[in-house]
Amino acid sequence: IGLNAAGSGYIRHPGGMDTGIGIQGGSSSGPTGTIIGTNSDGAYDGDEGNLISGNSNSGIWLAGQQGTLIAGNTIGLSAPGAKGSAKVPNGGSGIWINTTSAIPPASPVWIGTNGDDISDAFERNTISGNDGDGIKIEDGGEHTIAGNFIGLDFDGSNSNLGNGANGIYLTATAATMTLIGTNGDGVY
């Protein structure tokens, strides 16, 4: 989404400013249970992710939605076979959850693996090379961010692919009961 057929360079939308995937709710309710990437059912999960790079705004932008899963996507890099792990940045954040004006606010959003031992490696998002933050969450709460590669390539070996700002940026209200990493129960 935003790249040429080879996955090596961007193609700008004719209208100029573009976001890879944008989902916005209405004034009193929003989409519920949206899945962006793999559904983590154990069938073809490695083939279900999206390559979202080269957009002039954010790769994924959400506002006013409920219960979204973002898993198994590559955001801000070229396709693995195109140039390896080259930056093809989105102009904003890789994932931007902008809910400051949304009613209801976006909650909860799950970004990455659920740690249930079913396709966990395929649920990882690789979020690198974007011009803004890797993940930016401005409101809501009870989000989970787990098992992602942020600022790395697909296999975690190249650390020269950082995002232009923070890896993860949360406002004070977004940090309320938001889990980053595991819950410390020794299971991952």
Side-chain angles (χ1 to χ4, degrees), residues 9-188:
Y10 65 87
I11 298 175
R12 291 285 184 235
H13 292 234
M17 299 300 283
D18 59 294
T19 296
I21 296 172
I23 301 173
Q24 181 173 4
S27 61
S28 62
S29 65
T32 301
T34 302
I35 298 172
I36 300 172
T38 182
N39 61 5
S40 307
D41 66 356
Y44 306 104
D45 291 331
D47 297 325
E48 295 172 349
N50 299 291
L51 180 59
I52 307 167
S53 302
N55 299 288
S56 60
N57 284 330
S58 295
I60 298 172
W61 177 79
L62 304 175
Q65 49 59 54
Q66 304 292 308
T68 297
L69 170 65
I70 302 171
N73 302 290
T74 299
I75 304 169
L77 297 177
S78 63
K83 294 189 287 186
S85 294
K87 289 183 178 184
V88 184
N90 292 295
S93 297
I95 299 171
W96 180 17
I97 301 171
N98 175 355
T99 60
T100 54
S101 61
I103 300 171
S107 286
V109 176
W110 195 293
I111 302 171
T113 182
N114 59 13
D116 66 357
D117 290 329
I118 299 172
S119 299
D120 290 341
F122 294 128
E123 296 167 356
R124 170 186 303 125
N125 295 291
T126 302
I127 307 166
S128 304
N130 298 288
D131 288 344
D133 300 302
I135 299 170
K136 180 178 185 176
I137 305 177
E138 292 184 321
D139 205 351
E142 300 182 27
H143 306 293
T144 300
I145 304 168
N148 301 290
F149 282 164
I150 301 174
L152 301 170
D153 64 357
F154 304 100
D155 63 7
S157 63
N158 185 349
S159 61
N160 294 318
L161 298 169
N163 295 288
N166 302 288
I168 300 172
Y169 174 81
L170 304 174
T171 63
T173 54
T176 302
M177 297 181 64
T178 291
L179 177 66
I180 301 174
T182 70
N183 63 4
D185 64 359
V187 178
Y188 57 95

